[in-house]
Amino acid sequence: MASETATSDQWETVDCSRNDHVGRITLARPEAMNTFSTDLAQDLDAALHALDEDDDVRAIVVDGAGKSFSAGIDLSEHGDHETESEYEQWVGRMEEPFHTLTEMRTPVIAAAHGHAAANGIGLVAACDLAVAAEGTKFGATAPKVGLFCMGPAVPLMKALTRKRCLELILTGELIDAETALEWGLINRVASEGDHLTAAMELAETIAQKSPMGVQLGKQAFYEMVELDYDEALDYSNEQFATLCTTDDANEGIAAFLEGEPLAADEWPGE
C-alpha cells in the first residue's frame, strides 16, 4: 500500500503535492526570494522525507515560487546567534536537506529560474538532476557579504570539476544558465517560463521506469561514488544481483522478451 501523500497545508514555507507518480515541492517564500530561513530548511527536509516515503512517488521536482528559485540563506537570522556553537547548529539545520537528497531513494530534479545563489546553488547541485530557465543566474555569492559558501561547496565539488567549483566559490560571481549547462551544473536549459514543464517531463520519464531499479540504482550510485574503482565494481555486482531477484526484474524482463514493455502502472514495485 502506498503511504498517504503529504499536503501543502502541513508546512508554512513549502507547498507539497503529487500528480500520479511525480511529487512536487515548491519553495514558498517569494517575498524573500525563497531564502533559507530555519523554517524553510526544516520544511523542505520534512517534505522530501514525506514524498520519499510515499510508495507512489517515483520522482520529485523542486521549484521556487515568485521571481527566483532561492537566493541563499536568510541573513536576517544571522543576528539571532552569538557563539560558534550556535552558528554551527544554525547552519547545520540549513544544510540538512543536502544530506537527505543523497540519502533518499527517490530521484529529485531542481527546476530553477531567476536566481539560484549561495544555498540556492547548493540545492541545485545537491539535486540529482537540474533544469533551468533561460536567464537564470547561478552563484556562490557569500564572499560578497563577508561569508563563504562552505555548505554549498560540498555538492558543488561533487557536481563540477575542481577549477570550476573554485571559480564559483572564490569569486562569488554569477554565471548564466548556458554556462551552468556547459560546466555540468544543470542538465537542460528551457525557454523562459517553461523550466517547470521541462523538469516535470524529465520526472515523468523517470517515473515510467522500474521503481525498484531506479531507487536501488540511485542509492547505489551515491555509495559507489565514494569507493575506489575495484570496491565500486564489487559493490555494483552485489546491488545488481539484488535487483535480479526482484519482481520488477522478473516481470520487466518477461514483458520485454514478449515485445510488450511494462507501462508505469504495471510495475510491481518490489
Side-chain angles (χ1 to χ4, degrees):
M1 288 290 289
S3 58
E4 185 178 353
T5 302
T7 56
S8 294
D9 58 5
Q10 287 182 255
W11 303 289
E12 293 184 0
T13 62
V14 302
D15 295 328
C16 184
S17 61
R18 174 171 67 83
N19 183 18
D20 291 330
H21 296 296
V22 177
R24 178 182 174 188
I25 300 172
T26 302
L27 309 181
R29 296 186 74 223
E31 74 287 349
M33 296 182 71
N34 299 317
T35 48
F36 274 59
S37 63
T38 299
D39 286 342
L40 184 141
Q42 293 177 330
D43 286 351
L44 172 59
D45 194 59
L48 287 169
H49 279 289
L51 288 177
D52 194 43
E53 292 166 5
D54 186 332
D55 293 336
D56 280 336
V57 175
R58 300 181 187 173
I60 299 167
V61 171
V62 177
D63 68 311
K67 296 181 179 180
S68 287
F69 179 68
S70 174
I73 285 179
D74 186 347
L75 293 177
S76 68
E77 293 190 1
H78 177 268
D80 296 341
H81 314 286
E82 295 182 358
T83 67
E84 287 188 15
S85 177
E86 290 174 344
Y87 281 117
E88 186 174 353
Q89 292 177 17
W90 175 55
V91 76
R93 289 191 291 270
M94 296 294 178
E95 316 297 17
E96 194 60 36
F98 295 173
H99 289 288
T100 299
L101 283 162
T102 59
E103 293 167 355
M104 59 194 289
R105 60 181 182 169
T106 312
V108 182
I109 304 166
H113 74 295
H115 283 79
N119 254 40
I121 194 175
L123 179 56
V124 170
C127 287
D128 304 299
L129 303 173
V131 174
E134 291 177 343
T136 306
K137 301 295 184 183
F138 300 87
T141 52
K144 296 181 179 182
V145 297
L147 297 173
F148 195 81
C149 286
M150 301 285 190
V154 177
L156 281 170
M157 69 177 66
K158 298 292 186 181
L160 305 174
T161 65
R162 183 177 67 172
K163 300 296 188 185
R164 297 300 194 192
C165 178
L166 283 168
E167 181 174 345
L168 279 171
I169 63 178
L170 292 176
T171 68
E173 295 300 310
L174 298 171
I175 61 172
D176 59 25
E178 289 72 20
T179 302
L181 178 65
E182 178 187 348
W183 287 11
L185 177 62
I186 63 176
N187 299 87
R188 299 177 185 176
V189 177
S191 300
E192 186 175 355
D194 291 335
H195 64 292
L196 180 58
T197 298
M200 286 292 187
E201 289 174 351
L202 190 53
E204 288 164 2
T205 299
I206 294 171
Q208 296 294 317
K209 309 306 189 296
S210 159
M212 289 299 298
V214 169
Q215 290 165 6
L216 187 58
K218 171 184 168 171
Q219 291 172 312
F221 174 88
Y222 285 104
E223 289 288 337
M224 291 187 294
V225 77
E226 302 297 337
L227 301 175
D228 67 31
Y229 188 80
D230 289 336
E231 290 177 328
L233 279 174
D234 290 342
Y235 183 81
S236 75
N237 292 341
E238 294 172 6
Q239 298 306 300
F240 188 78
T242 297
L243 272 177
C244 285
T245 66
T246 65
D247 289 343
D248 270 19
N250 291 331
E251 295 193 23
I253 291 170
F256 174 79
L257 293 176
E258 292 171 3
E260 297 182 357
L262 296 180
D265 291 326
E266 294 178 324
W267 291 102
E270 56 186 29

